Amino acid sequence: MSLPTPTFLLQAILCIYFVLPSFAKLQRFQHQPKHDGSLSFLVIGDWGRQGLYNQSLVATQMGIMGEKLNIDFVISTGDNFYDEGIKGVNDPLFQQSFSNIYTAKSLQKQWYSVLGNHDYRGDTIAQVNPLLRKIDRRWFCMRSFTLNTGIAEFFFIDTTPFISDYFTEFEHTYDWRDVKPRKNYLNNILKDFEEALKKSSATWKIVVGHHAIRSISHHGDSIELKENLVPMLKANGVDMYLNGHDHCLQHISSKDSPLVYITSGAGSKAWRGDIKENDLEEVKFFYDGQGFMSVKITETETEFAFLDVFGEIIHHWRLEKSLHSSA
């Protein structure tokens, strides 16, 4: 599958990130914005089901919106391949759930992806292996990395190893290669992330992970992430945290910070009616059906929208750099 002329040089460094140990510094990549400095992209999570559970219908609407916005790339918030990741670089599930589904011309852009807990049930080393780019050049998946687009900097973080329950449950087997010893792995991630956030001079700072920090759906808040990440995100002026994991679309604000928590995990199977009772005024929107997110960023504002399986805009919001948020 061909791509337009790449906006940054990846080929020379693919072999480098493949052999970097888990304790290596965060790798930093570049993606040029549009000529006017603006940026547009789509966000999708929890999708890889060989087109089932309306995955194909969501993909169709993504293609339509991708063309309207002339998107620069797509972000995947993890759980890319169900139910147990991929078995190796030659697993046909990669093409059956990715290459053969997202076929629209507008989606032939780079896909920046993180791993989810279901991906950790398979061969994680295969999923981050650059050899997959020989099958589909769009695919770019690492455990943690940063992406600088000039106007915005994205910080992709591997959240699954933070969740303690995965290390004690016996129902599923997880691929912890390159993660254990866990304590060292997490300490290095937190240290490198804080350093990267402090050094960033981008107008907008966006963090991407699989697990929700705040959620009123099935899984709820991730306590480990609230304890380890939230103080760091607020202290360093992060504008937005994007995640999947809960199969819904939701927008939750902060009481004491401009930081917003966005779930886009409705790429295929949704959980109808799976919502926790709450009276939180911070919850701006919740939708328990399938869909995805679109984002447009300029120097002064970020606009994002949730779209359902029919392509209807069901929620729209604007963040302003001077005010940080407005309806």
Side-chain angles (χ1 to χ4, degrees), residues 301-314:
E301 66 180 30
T302 290
E303 289 186 75
F304 66 86
F306 290 140
L307 295 91
D308 66 14
V309 71
F310 304 107
E312 298 293 329
I313 295 177
I314 54 178

Side-chain angles (χ1 to χ4, degrees), residues 176-245:
W176 298 125
R177 291 176 296 169
D178 287 351
V179 170
K180 290 187 174 180
R182 180 190 178 211
K183 183 177 180 180
N184 291 346
Y185 183 78
L186 296 182
N187 285 341
N188 285 322
I189 286 181
L190 292 172
K191 178 183 177 182
D192 291 349
F193 252 77
E194 185 169 30
E195 182 179 326
L197 287 170
K198 286 181 176 179
K199 287 183 176 180
S200 176
S201 59
T203 302
W204 300 92
K205 297 180 184 180
I206 300 172
V207 174
V208 182
H210 176 63
H211 295 79
I213 293 178
R214 298 294 316 280
S215 173
I216 60 170
S217 190
H218 180 79
H219 293 107
D221 295 353
S222 298
I223 302 303
E224 297 91 339
L225 299 184
K226 288 179 72 174
E227 293 177 350
N228 288 284
L229 289 187
V230 171
M232 187 187 305
L233 303 188
K234 291 183 176 180
N236 290 284
V238 171
D239 300 284
M240 189 181 297
Y241 177 80
L242 304 176
N243 64 270
H245 197 45

Side-chain angles (χ1 to χ4, degrees), residues 261-273:
Y261 304 96
I262 306 294
T263 297
S264 182
S268 57
K269 189 177 183 180
W271 296 331
R272 284 290 189 184

